[in-house]
């Protein structure tokens, strides 16, 4: 009797072990459903960023001038979009209803698409979400530096259906019944646009880190002058279509070298590496402190990273700026975004007027009114000038005060004999540009809704 009971117990135990293994295996498989398949390192990975004007024989002020030219259409468009969003009624279909996205940027990254992988370079844009590249057959495509992607040559290409969550995430989409796919239209602030089919592909970063099942726009009708530096765009915004969101990462950072540095490379870090790379590489600036501030959200422009600006100090004087100047209004207008794709900082007109007045009173140099540089405030340098003292500049955010190094807001041009403030005036929206962010590791934490400025020698990373 005891022997029979023992045998029965062993059989039952064996059955339970097999059943538990089966359940564990099934659960493991189910947990992968809906997630991109990836071989990315747990600590994250790094990508090299290349400035669109790198390798060209340009001075610092010439690079800034070219950046201002590229960004002016976007700035005007963003301001106009904010006004139209308020002015248009609920049934006014002639005005812009969809959010306006950043557009042409200032930095490129290399990546590859498909299987076998086809290499290309893309504009990096924190002001938009969609990842896209031009695809054959093209109805209307701009000239790009690499061959246009042909989906027929890739074994990993697949179209995204109309009922997909990615299709629902588009602000403007349509169901292409003939092709059985989600059609998209994506517009940018510089009047550029891309139109095509939403699809899924394998993307490879840094030649070894590949991710399958990434949603992207396969554009066959692409318009605008701002994209010609690359072969598409990678959005790093806050929406579900961005690269960061699709990788399900909660952190990313970029560290931009000085605009006049033609030797060192800027970097983009994705994953936990974003917050510890500076310490790991020994590239922190001695005596400098990390400043962390909370980000705001705007339902009308969900891709953008909005800063909560409380004021500005020039020298020892806090400027007499109304609190409402930088506030994000209930209707979605106003506010200040932080943007890697805009060269200089643009301040709401009232704030810029106050800043210019205070700067002028504190500089011991005559104002240059020639307008030759394209910048709003310049001073005439003395012929024997070697080192010029400039007033300090501090941005007061809700959670921290950020004092900028002088080279992040003043630019000298010895050939024309001027010293200029690398800032400008705007209406409707303020933008914290990339010149002001150089030599900071700018860490975006999407889980905590914060951005941190880590003083860094970016060229050492």
């Amino acid at each position: 009797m005891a022997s029979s009971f023992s045998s029965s117990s062993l059989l039952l135990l064996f059955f339970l072990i097999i059943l538990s293994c089966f359940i564990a295996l099934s659960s493991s498989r189910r947990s992968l459903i809906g997630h991109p398949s990836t071989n990315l390192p747990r600590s994250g990975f790094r990508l090299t960023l290349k400035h669109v004007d790198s390798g060209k024989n340009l001075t610092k002020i010439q690079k800034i001038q070219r950046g201002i030219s590229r960004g002016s259409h976007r700035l005007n468009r963003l301001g106009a979009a904010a006004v139209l969003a308020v002015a248009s009624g609920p049934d006014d279909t002639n005005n812009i209803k969809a959010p306006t996205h950043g557009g042409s940027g200032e930095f490129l990254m290399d990546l590859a698409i498909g299987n076998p992988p086809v290499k290309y370079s893309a504009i990096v844009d924190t002001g938009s979400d969609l990842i896209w590249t031009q695809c054959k057959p093209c109805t209307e495509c701009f000239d790009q530096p690499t061959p246009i992607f042909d989906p027929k040559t890739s074994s990993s290409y697949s179209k995204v259906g109309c009922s997909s969550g990615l299709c629902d995430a588009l602000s403007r989409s349509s169901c292409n019944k003939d092709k059985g796919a989600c059609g998209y239209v994506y517009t940018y602030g510089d009047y550029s646009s891309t139109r095509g089919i939403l699809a899924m592909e394998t993307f490879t970063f840094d030649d070894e880190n590949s991710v399958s099942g990434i949603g992207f726009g396969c554009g066959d009708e692409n318009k605008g002058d701002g994209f010609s530096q690359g072969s598409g765009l990678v959005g790093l915004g806050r929406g579900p279509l961005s690269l960061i969101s699709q990788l399900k990462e909660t952190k990313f950072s970029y560290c931009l070298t000085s605009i006049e540095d033609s030797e060192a490379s800027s970097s983009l870090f994705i994953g936990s590496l974003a917050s510890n790379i500076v310490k790991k590489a020994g590239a922190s600036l001695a005596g400098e402190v990390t400043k962390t501030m909370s980000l705001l959200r705007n339902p009308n422009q969900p891709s953008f990273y909005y800063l909560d600006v409380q004021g500005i100090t020039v020298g020892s004087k806090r400027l007499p700026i109304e609190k409402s100047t930088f506030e994000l209004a209930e209707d979605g207008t106003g506010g200040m975004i932080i943007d890697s794709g805009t060269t200089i900082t643009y301040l709401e007109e009232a704030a810029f007027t106050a800043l210019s007045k205070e700067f002028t009173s504190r500089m011991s140099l005559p104002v240059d009114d020639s307008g030759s540089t394209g910048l709003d405030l310049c001073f005439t340098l003395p012929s024997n000038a070697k080192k010029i003292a400039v007033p300090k500049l501090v941005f007061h955010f809700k959670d921290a005060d950020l004092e900028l190094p002088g080279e992040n807001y003043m630019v000298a041009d010895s050939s024309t004999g001027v010293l200029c403030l690398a800032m400008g005036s705007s209406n409707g929206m303020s933008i914290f540009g990339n010149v002001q962010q150089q030599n900071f590791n700018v860490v975006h934490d999407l889980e905590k809704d914060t951005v941190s400025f880590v003083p860094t020698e970016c060229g050492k990373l």
Side-chain angles (χ1 to χ4, degrees):
M1 181 72 177
S3 177
S4 174
F5 178 77
S6 177
S7 299
S8 300
S9 298
L10 286 171
L11 283 171
L12 179 61
L13 181 62
F14 179 73
F15 174 76
L16 288 172
I17 291 172
I18 294 297
L19 182 62
S20 65
C21 289
F22 176 77
I23 291 170
L25 183 61
S26 298
S27 299
S28 176
R29 282 176 177 167
R30 279 199 303 272
S31 69
L32 295 175
I33 295 174
H35 295 264
S37 176
T38 172
N39 68 346
L40 299 179
R42 281 188 171 186
S43 61
F45 61 100
R46 169 189 175 171
L47 293 164
T48 298
L49 298 179
K50 181 175 138 185
H51 193 273
V52 294
D53 285 329
S54 67
K56 298 173 184 174
N57 188 21
L58 300 169
T59 63
K60 181 177 181 179
I61 201 163
Q62 285 173 333
K63 287 181 179 178
I64 289 175
Q65 287 171 329
R66 288 167 65 88
I68 291 171
S69 177
R70 284 188 292 267
S72 61
H73 291 304
R74 167 161 67 176
L75 178 67
N76 293 334
R77 172 73 165 177
L78 291 175
V83 172
L84 282 172
V86 178
S88 57
D91 299 319
D92 188 354
T93 56
N94 293 323
N95 283 329
I96 299 169
K97 291 296 185 184
T100 301
H101 309 285
S104 58
E106 294 292 292
F107 293 90
L108 298 167
M109 61 179 275
D110 290 332
L111 66 163
I113 183 173
N115 187 16
V118 177
K119 291 184 179 181
Y120 73 103
S121 61
I123 296 165
V124 176
D125 186 19
T126 56
S128 64
D129 295 331
L130 186 67
I131 306 163
W132 67 269
T133 189
Q134 298 195 114
C135 289
K136 289 182 178 180
C138 258
T139 304
E140 183 174 357
C141 282
F142 54 83
D143 290 336
Q144 64 177 52
T146 53
I148 293 174
F149 176 62
D150 186 352
K152 292 179 180 178
T153 64
S154 174
S155 63
S156 50
Y157 175 88
S158 63
K159 296 171 185 175
V160 169
C162 300
S163 60
S164 165
L166 288 175
C167 190
D168 290 339
L170 288 163
S171 54
R172 294 171 66 185
S173 63
S174 61
C175 186
N176 190 321
K177 293 180 180 179
D178 293 335
K179 296 182 180 179
C182 174
Y184 76 90
V185 178
Y186 211 75
T187 55
Y188 294 91
D190 58 0
Y191 294 95
S192 301
S193 66
T194 175
R195 179 193 298 265
I197 295 295
L198 200 64
M200 298 185 90
E201 255 298 5
T202 296
F203 283 82
T204 304
F205 307 97
D206 201 26
D207 292 330
E208 55 186 23
N209 302 310
S210 63
V211 186
S212 62
I214 292 290
F216 80 106
C218 202
D220 56 17
E221 188 177 330
N222 312 293
K223 302 175 184 178
D225 299 327
F227 302 131
S228 56
Q229 301 99 333
S231 304
L233 191 142
V234 173
L236 297 177
R238 299 168 101 169
L241 292 166
S242 78
L243 177 63
I244 303 301
S245 296
Q246 292 199 61
L247 291 179
K248 304 194 182 300
E249 294 287 357
T250 59
K251 289 182 181 179
F252 76 93
S253 74
Y254 48 81
C255 205
L256 310 178
T257 58
S258 171
I259 195 170
E260 61 188 335
D261 191 338
S262 57
E263 306 263 333
S265 297
S266 298
S267 302
L268 170 68
F269 301 95
I270 295 176
S272 59
L273 190 62
S275 56
N276 60 36
I277 184 61
V278 175
K279 185 177 180 181
K280 188 176 179 181
S284 57
L285 293 171
E288 298 292 337
V289 179
T290 297
K291 299 297 177 72
T292 300
M293 54 218 67
S294 56
L295 292 166
L296 302 174
R297 288 185 178 272
N298 181 359
N300 292 347
Q301 299 286 355
S303 297
F304 295 147
Y305 298 93
Y306 280 87
L307 297 168
D308 193 348
V309 188
Q310 304 286 302
I312 300 173
T313 290
V314 174
S316 58
K317 182 177 179 180
R318 183 142 177 170
L319 301 179
I321 302 171
E322 293 287 337
K323 188 181 177 184
S324 59
T325 303
F326 295 116
E327 281 184 346
L328 183 57
E330 289 185 9
D331 59 18
T333 59
M336 173 185 274
I337 64 170
I338 180 171
D339 186 25
S340 65
T342 300
T343 300
I344 64 171
T345 288
Y346 291 93
L347 301 177
E348 185 66 32
E349 188 174 5
F352 184 76
T353 299
L355 182 140
S356 297
K357 183 179 178 181
E358 190 60 30
F359 249 96
T360 301
S361 71
R362 290 177 177 272
M363 292 291 292
S364 57
L365 297 174
V367 172
D368 175 76
D369 293 321
S370 67
S372 60
T373 64
L375 290 161
D376 291 341
L377 180 62
C378 291
F379 303 92
T380 302
L381 284 170
S383 57
N384 58 348
K386 290 185 179 179
K387 193 172 183 180
I388 301 293
V390 297
K392 74 173 183 178
L393 178 62
V394 181
F395 279 81
H396 303 286
F397 298 100
K398 183 180 179 182
D399 306 302
D401 297 331
L402 182 66
E403 181 175 348
L404 296 178
E407 61 267 24
N408 283 29
Y409 58 92
M410 300 301 293
V411 52
D413 186 40
S414 56
S415 63
T416 55
V418 293
L419 176 69
C420 300
L421 178 68
M423 293 183 164
S425 176
S426 67
N427 286 293
M429 176 186 281
S430 298
I431 301 176
F432 198 75
N434 64 52
V435 168
Q436 282 64 49
Q437 300 174 57
Q438 62 189 12
N439 283 317
F440 286 103
N441 187 37
V442 183
V443 184
H444 291 65
D445 190 321
L446 280 65
E447 196 169 49
K448 295 180 179 178
D449 269 342
T450 61
V451 63
S452 299
F453 289 81
V454 186
T456 305
E457 292 183 73
C458 291
K460 286 189 175 181
L461 297 180

